[in-house]
Amino acid sequence: MAATAMFWELFTPKPNFTEKNIPDQYGRVFIVTGGASGCGYEVAKALYNLNGRVYIAGRSKKNAEVAIAEMRESHPAADQTVQGGKGELFFLQLDLADLSTIRTSAEEFLRKEDRLDVIWHNAGVMVPPIGSETKQGYDLQFGTNVLGPFLFQHFLTPLCLKTVRMPGVQRNATRVIFVSSSGHHLSPKPDGVNWDDLNMKSMTSAWANWMKYGQSKAMNAMHAHELARQYSSQGLISVSAHPGALRTNLGRSLPWWTDYILYFIHHPPHMGALTELYAGLNGDVDSKLLDDGGRNGAYILPWGRFADGSVHVFEGLTRRKTGEKLWSVCEGMLKEYI
């Protein structure tokens, strides 16, 4: 059952992968969407202190500038072995809830950089007020968590593939990370997708809002799997990751009293960053596909463990080719903006 799976994912062993396991990232270029707060902030800060060239992509320039200033004054993790001081931080305007702006955001990045080593599709929303919509009228969770990242990645994939082929780039080091959640267990059966109505506009209950969130997180895992299937032969790695139950502002729309309950089972955002850093920088994955016994296209648990995702979602991917179907559906919905 979904609740059982989500419950057991709360109990996590100590991390085996921390900043001490990460080599110098000087010369590499990264994007972290939603990098101005929460888990994304911790990912961006770690990359900066490891000498990476980091773009924090988000809606608010003001918030990003505050975050960047704080990161520049920060110290590396206590167990980091790399000598810092060479990192760079930049803001990239990105509104995932307005599809008409995403091409411009991607083009701005492409004008500035000739490589993209890893992108973390980290930004997202969780159970916002019922009826919340994007600029184009999509359910806010579907639009922000799924369509926006899919479109942004569409424009960046050619540069990722170019990076794979660059001299000096290590094999299996160029990656696309889709941040999922244990919430993907709540997605509709049998495939994780309500194919007849991806917006689920007819569903207006509080539980339906959680199911919409679950569907969006299942779609993140599906997009990671399908991107891996399409481009593994060219050396690109794509995985999805559940960063963990964290004390961030992701649940800002939940009732106030939930903070008191969840505080005792949630972890500092730095722990979630370790999950995402593992997904993007670990040496435990190659281009062999999940379907063939490899880990490309797989799902990662806190704080950096390859594991099985929800049975109904991943059976759909491997047995019913639902990743290809979702990819095609999203392309059709976004043809005006591609």
Side-chain angles (χ1 to χ4, degrees):
M1 293 177 63
T4 303
M6 294 174 69
F7 175 77
W8 285 114
E9 286 185 12
L10 291 172
F11 297 92
T12 54
K14 291 183 178 180
N16 291 318
F17 182 92
T18 68
E19 286 87 349
K20 72 180 179 182
N21 304 108
I22 304 174
D24 198 331
Q25 298 299 302
Y26 182 71
R28 305 188 79 205
V29 178
F30 307 106
I31 296 176
V32 183
T33 70
S37 65
C39 187
Y41 175 96
E42 296 294 333
V43 172
K45 182 175 72 171
L47 295 169
Y48 167 72
N49 282 313
L50 288 159
N51 298 321
R53 185 173 170 89
V54 187
Y55 284 80
I56 294 175
R59 289 180 299 170
S60 172
K61 184 176 182 180
K62 179 182 178 180
N63 291 349
E65 287 177 341
V66 170
I68 287 171
E70 292 175 352
M71 290 178 199
R72 286 177 176 155
E73 296 297 320
S74 69
H75 299 285
D79 64 350
Q80 179 175 314
T81 59
V82 171
Q83 180 67 43
K86 298 179 182 178
E88 297 177 281
L89 290 162
F90 306 94
F91 170 64
L92 179 66
Q93 184 73 48
L94 177 67
D95 185 355
L96 295 171
D98 185 355
L99 298 172
S100 67
T101 67
I102 291 177
R103 177 191 285 271
T104 300
S105 298
E107 289 175 345
E108 179 184 347
F109 176 81
L110 295 172
R111 282 195 301 270
K112 295 177 178 179
E113 300 294 340
D114 63 357
R115 65 186 292 160
L116 176 55
D117 292 271
V118 186
I119 177 169
W120 282 267
H121 292 289
N122 167 83
V125 295
M126 182 177 76
V127 290
I130 294 171
S132 299
E133 295 183 341
T134 68
K135 182 77 171 179
Q136 284 72 37
Y138 292 106
D139 170 74
L140 189 62
Q141 295 181 99
F142 176 53
T144 303
N145 297 356
V146 181
L147 292 179
F150 181 88
L151 183 60
F152 192 42
Q153 185 59 46
H154 168 82
F155 296 118
L156 297 175
T157 296
L159 183 57
C160 294
L161 296 172
K162 176 186 174 184
T163 305
V164 171
R165 300 188 296 268
M166 284 183 168
V169 172
Q170 295 184 0
R171 292 183 63 188
N172 309 314
T174 308
R175 302 185 185 179
V176 178
I177 312 302
F178 288 89
V179 177
S180 182
S181 164
S182 63
H184 85 283
H185 292 289
L186 300 174
S187 60
K189 294 184 178 181
D191 297 332
V193 178
N194 184 41
W195 295 111
D196 293 333
D197 178 15
L198 272 63
N199 264 305
M200 298 187 186
K201 284 207 169 184
S202 62
M203 303 179 184
T204 57
S205 68
W207 172 246
N209 215 17
W210 278 104
M211 188 177 291
K212 292 174 184 179
Y213 176 69
Q215 174 181 263
S216 74
K217 295 291 101 180
M219 288 176 169
N220 292 151
M222 294 166 75
H223 278 156
H225 183 277
E226 179 59 15
L227 190 71
R229 189 193 69 80
Q230 291 188 25
Y231 297 109
S232 63
S233 63
Q234 298 183 54
L236 186 61
I237 305 297
S238 180
V239 296
S240 57
H242 163 40
L246 308 171
R247 299 179 195 129
T248 71
N249 64 357
L250 181 63
R252 56 189 174 272
S253 297
L254 295 174
W256 62 269
W257 50 265
T258 60
D259 287 342
Y260 293 95
I261 298 173
L262 298 176
Y263 180 86
F264 296 99
I265 59 174
H266 280 186
H267 301 269
H270 174 254
M271 298 300 291
L274 294 179
T275 309
E276 295 192 26
L277 290 167
Y278 177 81
L281 303 173
N282 78 81
D284 300 333
V285 62
D286 58 27
S287 59
K288 187 176 182 181
L289 288 171
L290 176 66
D291 301 17
D292 299 325
R295 288 172 166 173
N296 198 2
Y299 176 71
I300 295 173
L301 287 175
W303 312 114
R305 298 169 292 144
F306 282 93
D308 295 330
S310 187
V311 172
H312 70 282
V313 174
F314 280 83
E315 279 190 352
L317 288 167
T318 57
R319 298 182 183 180
R320 298 185 291 278
K321 308 300 181 185
T322 53
E324 296 177 55
K325 180 178 180 180
L326 178 62
W327 195 277
S328 178
V329 168
C330 288
E331 283 186 329
M333 297 177 78
L334 296 169
K335 60 185 177 182
E336 177 183 349
Y337 306 100
I338 289 178

